[in-house]
Amino acid sequence: MRLLLVEDDSLLAEGLASQLEKAGFSVDRTQTAREAILLGEQEDYRVGVLDLGLPDGNGLDVLRSWRSSNASFPVLILTARGDWQDKVNGLKAGADDYLTKPFRTEELVARLNAIVRRSEGRVHTSVKAGGFELDENRQSLKIQDGSEHSLTGTEFRLLRCLMSRPGQVFSKEQLMEQLYNLSESPSDNIIEAYIRRLRKLVGASTIATRRGQGYLFDDAV
């Protein structure tokens, strides 16, 4: 899942990005309201983490700009303020959840997974499709014979993207956007390599190729 982290505290942002990547997110970071607005409107994010206190503007204005431009990805706001009115204003501006500093990263990850599940219409912490079950907490895949297989971070993100929308065709470019952040430069054939590895677990027909279009997870196989 691709995530936008808007936080002006460099040390905090670096630590959060590291922990979020371990939890299965591909993280883009920015410290300014101006860049946050542009990224939120131009890139395809599954979720955002937004600090309210930014050096060049208010996080609520960033959120309002996203919503007015139809950027609909769920957003969790961070605030160092204890005033309940800030939380209310954030929710009214279009936030999906909030967390007050200081906080534990485990709670942030749990809340992010929860709002992503809600945005996808799910209530469980696993993604099920075609007899396969992907555990978000353990980053593992249970296959039809009942065995469970641990996944690398990239394998998990790729399979989660495909399984969360079975039957939908994803181009290589769309998958690259969800797997890697803006600072990474993976090779063009990296998606093919990971698809081959995942097919060894789920079967070649389960992750189908649509020539000239991309890949899809066939849950009817």
Side-chain angles (χ1 to χ4, degrees), residues 85-97:
Q85 190 63 53
D86 290 320
K87 301 170 185 177
V88 171
N89 290 340
L91 294 172
K92 285 183 176 180
D96 298 84
D97 201 355

Side-chain angles (χ1 to χ4, degrees), residues 1-3 5 13-29 105-106 108-110 112-113 135-140 150-158 160 178-179 181 184:
M1 292 180 289
R2 193 170 177 198
L3 179 149
L5 173 60
E14 184 176 349
L16 284 179
S18 176
Q19 293 301 312
L20 289 168
E21 286 168 358
K22 290 179 181 178
F25 295 95
S26 175
V27 181
D28 286 337
R29 292 164 45 189
T105 306
E106 293 85 354
L108 173 62
V109 170
L112 288 173
N113 282 327
D135 190 310
E136 292 181 331
N137 295 327
R138 297 165 58 86
Q139 292 193 25
S140 63
S150 296
L151 302 172
T152 68
T154 304
E155 288 171 344
F156 170 74
R157 291 195 295 271
L158 175 55
R160 191 195 182 288
Q178 291 299 320
L179 296 182
N181 61 46
E184 295 175 307

